[in-house]
Amino acid sequence: MISDGNYKEAFVWIWLPDATEPIVAGKLEVDNHKIRFNYGKSYLERIADTKPAISIYEPELPLQAGVIFPLAGLTMPGCIRDAAPDAWGRRVIINKMLGAKGADRDTAELSELTYLLKSGSDRVGALDFQRSPTEYVPRLAGNVGLDELLQSVERVENGIPLTPELDQA
């Protein structure tokens, strides 16, 4: 695994229903090649203060104190994995991080936390992943034309680095 892709922790930020800003829900940590989750104390304290707090996904990550390990047979909670980039998104991140030979690289060369932390914040769903538990910095895409996006597909498929504008898109 490359050094920039060897993250050991990431903070899970969540948009609660009717909220306009995300808050920290908890932390993901690598533990013996598995990713465990722990709800943050401040997130759990919201319940006592009668503020909204919801489980990320009740069957896997019930709203409780303490470390929650992935279900049997999984290396990370499935609901968190669902928030990660798909195969195409992983290829884009590999291209961005590894450059011209990215198309020939194994997707396992980057960690799951890298894919979560390097993907855009404007994803579907109510979760985002950050390196900080206190400062939310969205990773947003810029606007580019359809022709430029089509060119980016060709570049990624051929392992050619993207231009800065296409990289942001």
Side-chain angles (χ1 to χ4, degrees), residues 5-155:
N6 199 14
Y7 297 104
K8 297 293 184 195
E9 68 180 20
F11 295 90
V12 180
W13 289 68
I14 189 170
W15 278 265
L16 294 171
D18 300 322
T20 58
E21 298 291 327
I23 61 171
V24 174
K27 181 166 73 168
L28 296 166
E29 288 182 288
V30 176
D31 180 19
N32 197 24
H33 305 292
K34 291 192 176 194
I35 298 174
R36 63 186 187 180
F37 179 77
N38 199 345
Y39 282 104
K41 182 180 175 187
S42 63
Y43 190 74
L44 293 172
E45 287 174 349
R46 294 176 64 84
I47 300 167
D49 294 339
T50 65
K51 294 179 183 172
I54 58 173
S55 71
I56 292 174
Y57 180 59
E58 188 65 30
E60 284 187 301
L61 300 177
L63 197 55
Q64 65 186 38
V67 175
I68 304 172
F69 289 92
L71 298 175
L74 299 178
T75 59
M76 67 187 300
C79 59
I80 298 296
R81 175 61 178 88
D82 285 348
D86 62 9
W88 175 253
R90 288 169 185 258
R91 287 183 64 192
V92 170
I93 291 169
I94 287 170
N95 183 279
K96 178 179 181 179
M97 295 185 70
L98 304 178
K101 295 294 182 187
D104 299 327
R105 303 301 278 262
D106 181 0
T107 58
E109 201 163 338
L110 299 178
S111 71
E112 287 296 328
L113 292 185
T114 298
Y115 288 118
L116 293 171
L117 290 166
K118 296 294 184 178
S119 60
S121 296
D122 53 355
R123 73 186 84 232
V124 174
L127 301 179
D128 195 12
F129 306 92
Q130 300 278 314
R131 295 187 68 194
S132 171
T134 57
E135 182 183 11
Y136 181 77
V137 181
R139 297 171 309 282
L140 302 174
N143 292 327
V144 297
L146 184 57
D147 287 339
E148 289 178 280
L149 286 176
L150 290 173
Q151 290 173 7
S152 71
V153 170
E154 204 169 298
R155 294 177 75 94

